[in-house]
Amino acid sequence: MAGEVSRVEVSLPGSRSPGRVEVVSPGALTTVQDWPGREGFWHVGVPPSGPMDERSLRAANRLLGNPEGAPCLEITLTGPRLRFTSSCRAAVTGAPLSVALDGAPLAQWSALELPSGGVLSLGTIRGVGVRAYLAVRGGFGGPATMGSRSVFAAAALGGRPLRGGDMLPLGSLATGEPESAAPPRFELALALERPRRLRIVLGPHGAPEFLTAPGLEQLLAARWRVHHHSDRTGVRLVGPRPAWSRADGGEAGLHPSNILDAPYTVGAVMLAGDTAVIVGPDGPSLGGFVSIGAVIGADRWLLGQLRAGDEVQFDAIAARPSPAPDAAPPPDAAPAPDAAPAPDAPGEPAAPHAPRRVVFDSPYEGAHGLLTYRRAGESAVLVEFGEQSLDLRSRVRVHALQEALRCERVAGLGAITAGVRALQVQYDPDRTSCAAVLDALERIERGLTDPRGQVIPGRTVRLPLSWRHSEVERAVERYERSVRAGAPWCPDNIDFIRRVNGLAREQDVRDIVLSARYLVLGLGDVYLGAPVAVPLDPRHRLVTTKYNPARTWTPANAVGIGGVFLCVYGIEGPGGYQLIGRTVQMWDQKEDPPWRLRHFDQLRFDAVQEEELEELRAASAAGSWRPRVEPAAFLLAEHERSLRRRAHAIARFRARREAAFAAEREAWLRDDETAVAA
């Protein structure tokens, strides 16, 4: 990603081209965002980004007659000072803050006339809210990255936050008739009652499979407090400890919140360990945690105005009714909190034209084995294949349905994202209904061929691995010092992996990692094409648990193991996998496509010293080095034959691993009881 910053929307300091805005001071965190953001890449771990508070950004554009998606500035906490080199019209919306032109106060939520040479100063957000938005007539100009001007700052995708001396080009988008004033509801919306109420549609993971019924009710009744570590990736909430209905996550990890990877939606309320996190517009598309519901689209703008210490409460509501023919509801439309359940709401029969045997959360026999449909918020369905265990037959079935959906182009569908044993299908509830989507899914799935006869092309990709890289060790030390001293995986992640898998020496862990052939089952687990992969040979499947709570910092391209999966972190940021080393970048914006790996690639690791790895990383960033790649293919029938040949050895390995796993869990329970007694 090193080369991406040079392609941001700002020009070099000192430029004085007409129609530009000079950044005198940047504010706390100011970025360019457009709506709806960077669409079409969720399946490879590229978030949409875009505004945290889309209502305010779209209102600012409407005040100026801009298209609703015109690029604006998103301002967090403290605003910038900007000098305009030509006259223009502007509007400031969002959370309340002072607005002044050359020292004279101006009003928010109205069109402003800015003269050439004028300096617009935006102050500190006062009292309520976190983010404000500045629009200019015609939008802000500059090149788009992957179809959007939105900045995903953590990956330097689309640019970076503003700095003093930057020059922002004014755009020339076609404009229409401006609104005379913003609708009053936008101004008043920030003065909501406390706690803030967020409407959610429950699913895909609830009671009694994952949480007890009283436990789920407790989470819905609770008043949650917004944690200070909240940002655009996710809003962290402090509240009651979930009451789980199971002891652990099995192959997914020791904690009951751990599941085999499943895709998220923006607004999903996931339980990462015992912490609730609402996925933001810069959040991950894939992960291994239970998700109890999703904030409805009409309320997602509120996430952008939650500040540390605010209280939040969830209102579980029915999904939106099906749209009427030829009717398009306004962008702010939403079901009333007391709306009656839609015909296809959770637990209710599907609409008459949908197959009645398809019931949410109840497995039934599909074309080639068990199938479960789960609601994933108001605008997505999660299709799960087989039992809740790692079975590559299920992953092949996921792949077949994903490819069939892409070929058929069902009306109203959005992102289609594959997990390990699940496929998430997003849809536009203004264009289609959940019942119609279920109808199409069931019909297409019934026509799929036997997964045992499929040959899925891929590649063998060899990656260098620096074992115990110093940056990885620093991440573990930092966690122990600042997040959770005395965690079972501290001070040494690799020794923790050794213990929970019943191995004698660290060298045994290293030998397994370097011998394994990892099959890539998902992309984007930790952003930008980052792989989630599993060893083809079950005797190489080391099981761990994820950090609880998660790390606040992980170096880019760290290699970790969580549950039974291996992951390479796409960017620097939070994380929960047990870390073993570091490798090269998974993403190169100079390549087409920029993601280096594909589903069903097979990864092999070659040990290198840290100094050699850093040379390879530099060469990779410069475009002078690429991983070695050879053709390969995955045949389910051949894989299943190999499992039968090795059945006794695999059973012995699993028995030893499960005994060590159980012993570690018992030790945790004893430690918890001691802590409670103390």
Side-chain angles (χ1 to χ4, degrees), residues 459-502:
R459 307 166 304 165
T460 297
V461 181
R462 301 200 74 100
L463 298 175
L465 175 66
S466 170
W467 193 259
R468 287 192 180 276
H469 190 281
S470 60
E471 287 293 280
V472 163
E473 298 288 275
R474 187 161 72 94
V476 179
E477 292 166 7
R478 187 164 156 179
Y479 176 88
E480 185 175 32
R481 185 174 64 252
S482 62
V483 179
R484 184 180 173 185
W489 42 86
C490 291
D492 191 329
N493 284 188
I494 295 175
D495 188 63
F496 176 75
I497 295 171
R498 178 195 65 76
R499 293 199 318 267
V500 299
N501 286 278

